Amino acid sequence: METDDPHRPRPSADEAAAVLREAEQLTSDVAAVKVPAWYFPALGAVVAPYGLITLLPDTAVGVGATFGGMAAFLVAIALIAHYGVKQMGVLRWLTWRETWPVFVPAGVLLVAASAVYLVVDSAWVWVALSVAVGALIAAFGPYHRRTSPFYRRDTSS
């Protein structure tokens, strides 16, 4: 509702309230979009093996394979996001309230892996970290579907 035009009258209080109600309803509708059941397990499956690139040798072939692995990872993430958004019909960012159960443990795992790496100095620590974070992301999907109020909402009415 544009009001910069001096020849156009300002909206009435009822018109403004109606537009506000419509915006709030649209926001609520988008927040209620359900993430597909396959989405987080697919992300976890892509993240889990990512740490293997840390085991590649520091040779021309190893560096090339590292870049290839990184490219494959990014393409896989982009495709998962693309098909997830296509299925949902909208890009919906989860809120901090919804995602803290995956971000906080992932942060703890990262700090723990960093501490372990300082002691053991092995690239396998990063492989273990990526597997753990991948499993965490994959497990987050069913957790999110079980705890989000949007999956319990009765849509038959």
Side-chain angles (χ1 to χ4, degrees), residues 113-153:
S114 299
V116 169
Y117 182 74
L118 290 174
V119 174
V120 298
D121 191 24
S122 171
W124 283 99
V125 171
W126 308 122
V127 175
L129 174 65
S130 69
V131 169
V133 170
L136 180 65
I137 292 169
F140 175 72
Y143 169 83
H144 174 67
R145 294 178 73 78
R146 194 175 66 252
T147 60
S148 174
F150 301 117
Y151 294 90
R152 293 190 299 264
R153 177 186 283 174

Side-chain angles (χ1 to χ4, degrees), residues 20-30:
L20 182 59
R21 278 192 303 275
E22 183 181 346
E24 288 170 346
Q25 182 61 47
L26 289 171
T27 300
S28 176
D29 291 346
V30 169

Side-chain angles (χ1 to χ4, degrees), residues 24-64:
E24 288 170 346
Q25 182 61 47
L26 289 171
T27 300
S28 176
D29 291 346
V30 169
V33 170
K34 295 174 177 79
V35 177
W38 57 264
Y39 188 78
F40 289 108
L43 284 176
V46 170
V47 168
Y50 186 73
L52 290 171
I53 67 171
T54 63
L55 300 178
L56 295 170
D58 290 337
T59 63
V61 172
V63 171

Side-chain angles (χ1 to χ4, degrees), residues 75-93:
V75 167
I77 295 293
L79 287 172
I80 290 167
H82 169 77
Y83 286 111
V85 169
K86 188 173 181 180
Q87 185 173 343
M88 290 184 288
V90 66
L91 174 60
R92 177 170 102 73
W93 293 103

